[in-house]
Amino acid sequence: MTRLAGSSKLLRAMNASAALAHLLEPGGLTRADLRKLTELSTPTISEVLRRLTEAGLVTVVGHNSGRPGPNAEIYAANPDAAYAAAVSVRDIGASRAPSVVAALCDLTGTVRARIERNVDFLHTDPKDALVEVVAALRDEAGIPEDGIHHVQLGVAGSYDSRAETIRHVDVHGFARPGLVPEIAAALGTRIGVDNDVNLAAIAERRRGVGRDADGFALLWLGQEGLGLAIDIGGTLMRGARGGAGEIGYMPLYAPDSTHRKIDLQDLVGGAAVLALGQDHGITGTTPLEVVTSAAADPGAAGEFFGQLADRISVGLAAVIAVLDPSLVVLAGPVAHAGGETLLAAVTAAVRRAAPLESTIAVTSIDDDAVLLGTLDAGLSAVREALIAEIRDN
């Protein structure tokens, strides 16, 4: 009898989690819609909706005027059942200093608050700064202290989940061992950490040109650094210690070379783009300004784009040769500013470098891709946790 009771409980939980998974998608559903999607019986659907409604996860959002009784009710996930916070730590912001950009969304994905803070991490503990930012998000959105179920952190570095340590990060204090558990304890909620370029790839998969691709490689050309994200069928390759995609460290001369050893960062990083612009007489005090100025007059800046594309192709040809992705996405502020002009130059440069056939495209995301991807990752974690909680209880 105990085994039968346990099996019945598990079945009810599985039915409820299946229904909630459908209700989390945009748009409301009637009982008839849920019956078709889940293939559950009418009494079972009614019981599932009762349980989800009592738990505060689902609410009636309207009525179908063409149907009588309970079948006319339209259900959807309760937006206020849980919230996700996204915090993106930048090694350089608009003020040329480290900054934190953050946003908060409800269970449906609607953004309820968005803020940016310049932070002096030389004199501010990262834990204290992030706790303050999350509190500011809560205040702006007007939600209770326990409303945030997950905080997703994006960093310009790699995260070793086994050691719970952020590596290859230039922002002061963030490489400190034990920092991530400290932040989680101070926030009192679950926390996730990922590389900023990986998070941009999550946004590209959901919202951009990578949406329909079997897989893609995303090359990030930022104001300072560069990075690579590898999407294989919607799953990101992070490596054993979270360092997959740290392409800026790729050496361009052998260690025993008589030449000065340089890496790809020296060739394509922000300082290199700025210097290349100065060599060609292109105005701008930042890499983004230089590329934006060049894109405004591509005829006069053709040689600049050609040389920049040749440099980019050095790393990109190696990526394509090893991974053979169906699509390569050029992303980041420098790539976005270069647009179609940079895309054409890079495509031609890669074809000259090697007989490789991957399609190359520029990101179609106009908003902050890293912040959007951080939100997407946080929201997915919240939804998965809710479904697992129903299934386990």
Side-chain angles (χ1 to χ4, degrees):
M1 181 65 69
T2 302
R3 182 178 177 183
L4 289 174
S7 299
S8 177
K9 180 181 179 180
L10 176 61
L11 184 59
R12 288 197 301 270
M14 291 175 63
N15 291 339
S17 62
L20 179 59
H22 288 294
L23 288 164
L24 287 170
E25 296 300 317
L29 297 172
T30 64
R31 298 183 186 213
D33 294 330
L34 284 169
R35 284 199 304 272
K36 291 178 183 177
L37 290 168
T38 63
E39 299 183 349
L40 297 174
S41 67
T42 298
T44 300
I45 284 295
S46 296
E47 173 63 16
V48 164
L49 287 172
R50 182 191 67 79
R51 291 183 63 204
L52 292 175
T53 301
E54 289 180 353
L57 298 176
V58 168
T59 185
V60 176
V61 296
H63 292 79
N64 187 333
S65 58
R67 295 180 180 178
N71 287 330
E73 293 175 335
I74 300 174
Y75 294 84
N78 177 10
D80 297 316
Y83 298 86
V87 181
S88 174
V89 179
R90 313 293 172 85
D91 54 359
I92 185 168
S95 64
R96 306 295 296 167
S99 68
V100 175
V101 182
L104 182 144
C105 70
D106 61 31
L107 190 57
T108 67
T110 300
V111 176
R112 305 282 282 267
R114 183 166 174 169
I115 61 175
E116 181 169 3
R117 296 279 191 275
N118 293 325
V119 181
D120 180 4
F121 284 111
L122 288 175
H123 300 95
T124 305
D125 186 273
K127 179 194 69 177
D128 297 336
L130 298 192
V131 168
E132 188 277 329
V133 165
V134 172
L137 282 175
R138 250 192 346 257
D139 292 343
E140 182 171 318
I143 66 169
E145 188 169 343
D146 61 351
I148 297 177
H149 287 211
H150 185 92
V151 175
Q152 183 68 39
L153 179 62
V155 293
S158 58
Y159 180 60
D160 185 340
S161 58
R162 292 184 296 183
E164 296 185 308
T165 301
I166 302 170
R167 307 188 191 281
H168 308 301
V169 60
D170 292 331
V171 182
H172 182 78
F174 278 84
R176 186 175 80 221
L179 174 64
V180 173
E182 288 176 21
I183 295 172
L187 291 173
T189 190
R190 293 185 297 269
I191 182 172
V193 185
D194 207 347
N195 169 262
D196 55 354
V197 181
N198 283 341
L199 294 164
I202 289 175
E204 201 69 51
R205 162 62 70 180
R206 181 176 177 185
R207 309 160 184 263
V209 295
R211 181 177 301 175
D212 298 321
D214 294 335
F216 61 90
L218 183 144
L219 179 65
W220 182 267
L221 302 172
Q223 284 268 58
E224 292 292 318
L226 63 154
L228 181 76
I230 306 161
D231 175 298
I232 301 176
T235 299
L236 288 169
M237 180 184 294
R238 293 183 171 87
R241 290 166 295 278
E246 293 289 348
I247 195 172
Y249 294 107
M250 188 176 82
L252 301 181
Y253 289 115
D256 59 350
S257 171
T258 56
H259 298 282
R260 181 177 69 90
K261 181 183 176 183
I262 64 172
D263 54 31
L264 194 61
Q265 172 72 25
D266 296 318
L267 199 64
V268 192
V273 174
L274 187 59
L276 184 63
Q278 292 171 346
D279 290 343
H280 288 82
I282 300 172
T283 59
T285 59
T286 68
L288 179 58
E289 290 177 1
V290 166
V291 176
T292 300
S293 297
D297 189 5
E303 188 174 347
F304 164 79
F305 277 118
Q307 290 189 19
L308 178 58
D310 283 339
R311 296 182 179 197
I312 292 171
S313 72
V314 172
L316 206 52
V319 169
I320 296 173
V322 172
L323 299 176
D324 188 26
S326 60
L327 174 68
V328 173
V329 182
L330 303 179
V334 169
H336 192 273
E340 295 299 319
T341 303
L342 179 61
L343 172 62
V346 170
T347 300
V350 170
R351 299 293 179 262
R352 288 194 301 270
L356 304 170
E357 298 181 357
S358 294
T359 299
I360 304 175
V362 174
T363 179
S364 60
I365 297 176
D366 292 325
D367 201 350
D368 187 327
V370 174
L371 183 62
L372 292 178
T374 310
L375 267 178
D376 290 343
L379 180 59
S380 293
V382 167
R383 291 177 169 184
E384 289 168 7
L386 286 175
I387 291 172
E389 185 177 339
I390 291 173
R391 188 178 295 125
D392 296 340
N393 290 336

